[in-house]
Amino acid sequence: MNQTEMLSISTFSKMSDVPRKTLIYYDRIGLFKPAFVADNGYRYYYRSQLDTIGMIHVFKEFGMSLEEIREHLSHRTPASTLEFLRKQEEVIQLQIARLERIGQMISMRAENIEHSIHVNTSYMQVIRQSRVPVLLSCRVHASKKQFPEDLWDDFQLRLQRENAPIGYPNGVIVKKEDLLKKDGDMVSHMFSRIETHFHEQEYMPEGFYLVSYTRADYGDTDKIYPQIFDYMEKKQYVVIGDAYEEYLQDEVSLQNPEEYLVRVMVHIKEPSIDEELLC
């Protein structure tokens, strides 16, 4: 065995970024053995073994135990390796989807807080909005003050199915028929702004929305609706769709629930005047 054609454990450790102690431990448990051990106990490795130690790194990142990796390597064939890698490929794709959703959640929460910092809660305005993809829960008709537990459970399962993490921003919808009765307390759905892959894609319609803000704890947002109805009557705005409630500041950024900031967007007919219209 020509040792000059092989890598010492120190050299192999530097090239593979695996500590010497780890390489020795891998050898002892039969996970990854050197190509040659000299009479003096020095370990030597083929350069090609860098490929194997690299895959062990990857397998560990998949969350595999050392015993699982050892079992695979000790019985590896092209066919078994191909099957194994395809399975891990599926795991990676799920992890990527999960990380993308986490990134969306972080961006959305940051944008909500950034937008909310200079909000004037005494001011209402009309905006024109493009169609927004949303995920909806099952439909109910329940008071915000007696929020149904099964609605929350249903929606969390739907978010999980979409690989959305716990804490993904969500809101509630008040239906048009309740708004026409001047009732802002009854909830029909929970929703999140998200493009769906496993559920039917729903949308917050394109159009004009009267936007209002208030400070309120969960379940107390009905207190803003009398002001909204009075303002709409004064401006002669016509309700043509639902109201969408979303918290821009919540427990993530505030310690006092009474200071949570909620945005209410009511879908209205295009105003005949545009003195307050923002595009």
Side-chain angles (χ1 to χ4, degrees):
M1 183 71 64
N2 187 351
Q3 295 181 10
T4 61
E5 297 177 357
M6 307 184 75
L7 303 174
S8 69
I9 189 170
S10 296
T11 301
F12 192 85
S13 172
K14 291 178 181 178
M15 294 181 68
S16 63
D17 197 29
V18 177
R20 290 179 76 260
K21 289 183 179 180
T22 301
L23 290 172
I24 293 172
Y25 177 69
Y26 286 173
D27 181 15
R28 287 175 177 169
I29 66 173
L31 172 63
F32 182 73
K33 289 186 167 295
F36 174 70
V37 179
D39 293 340
N40 57 9
Y42 288 178
R43 294 170 171 84
Y44 293 90
Y45 298 82
Y46 290 127
R47 192 177 298 271
S48 60
Q49 287 183 278
L50 289 168
D51 294 338
T52 304
I53 198 67
M55 289 307 297
I56 291 175
H57 264 305
V58 172
F59 295 156
K60 287 177 64 179
E61 290 184 8
F62 290 161
M64 294 181 61
S65 68
L66 295 182
E67 176 58 29
E68 289 173 324
I69 299 172
R70 188 195 67 77
E71 181 68 19
H72 166 70
L73 292 177
S74 63
H75 298 92
R76 64 187 182 273
T77 65
S80 66
T81 301
L82 175 60
E83 180 183 5
F84 177 81
L85 293 177
R86 289 303 187 195
K87 288 181 179 178
Q88 300 310 316
E89 187 178 25
E90 293 178 4
V91 172
I92 289 175
Q93 292 303 319
L94 289 175
Q95 291 176 343
I96 290 173
R98 180 77 169 172
L99 288 173
E100 287 178 346
R101 291 299 195 198
I102 292 173
Q104 290 172 7
M105 179 184 75
I106 291 173
S107 296
M108 193 178 305
R109 284 196 170 276
E111 290 169 4
N112 285 346
I113 293 173
E114 188 173 36
H115 172 74
S116 68
I117 288 176
H118 303 295
V119 159
N120 184 349
T121 58
S122 64
Y123 179 66
M124 298 187 193
Q125 64 185 20
V126 175
I127 67 169
R128 182 170 186 169
Q129 178 176 270
S130 301
R131 187 173 72 162
V132 176
V134 295
L135 168 68
L136 295 184
S137 70
C138 61
R139 181 161 182 171
V140 297
H141 194 243
S143 169
K144 297 171 188 172
K145 293 180 174 56
Q146 297 176 334
F147 202 81
E149 192 69 26
D150 55 349
L151 173 61
W152 173 261
D153 293 341
D154 167 80
F155 194 61
Q156 292 307 307
L157 288 173
R158 295 185 187 214
L159 284 172
Q160 290 175 20
R161 179 64 174 151
E162 296 293 340
N163 291 307
I166 294 175
Y168 197 91
N170 59 72
V172 297
I173 296 175
V174 178
K175 296 300 290 182
K176 171 185 174 182
E177 48 263 37
D178 289 311
L179 296 175
L180 293 176
K181 299 175 190 175
K182 295 190 175 181
D183 184 353
D185 178 53
M186 303 304 290
V187 172
S188 67
H189 297 86
M190 292 184 68
F191 79 97
S192 281
R193 297 177 181 242
I194 191 172
E195 291 186 3
T196 60
H197 301 293
F198 300 98
H199 296 87
E200 181 179 355
Q201 184 69 73
E202 305 286 352
Y203 294 91
M204 184 177 177
E206 176 184 10
F208 295 87
Y209 289 82
L210 175 64
V211 182
S212 182
Y213 303 88
T214 192
R215 299 282 179 182
D217 194 358
Y218 301 128
D220 292 337
T221 56
D222 58 302
K223 68 182 183 182
I224 194 177
Y225 281 90
Q227 303 171 44
I228 292 175
F229 296 140
D230 288 346
Y231 188 82
M232 292 182 65
E233 185 174 351
K234 175 183 175 182
K235 293 292 186 178
Q236 297 185 335
Y237 294 153
V238 178
V239 175
I240 62 171
D242 305 332
Y244 296 79
E245 298 182 15
E246 300 169 273
Y247 277 89
L248 305 185
Q249 296 177 9
D250 56 15
E251 187 174 342
V252 172
S253 57
L254 290 171
Q255 298 184 44
N256 184 358
E258 294 180 356
E259 295 179 357
Y260 293 172
L261 181 67
V262 65
R263 175 177 61 198
V264 179
M265 299 179 65
V266 181
H267 192 194
I268 62 172
K269 183 179 178 181
E270 180 178 358
S272 57
I273 56 176
D274 60 358
E275 59 184 5
E276 295 176 305
L277 180 60
L278 299 179
C279 296

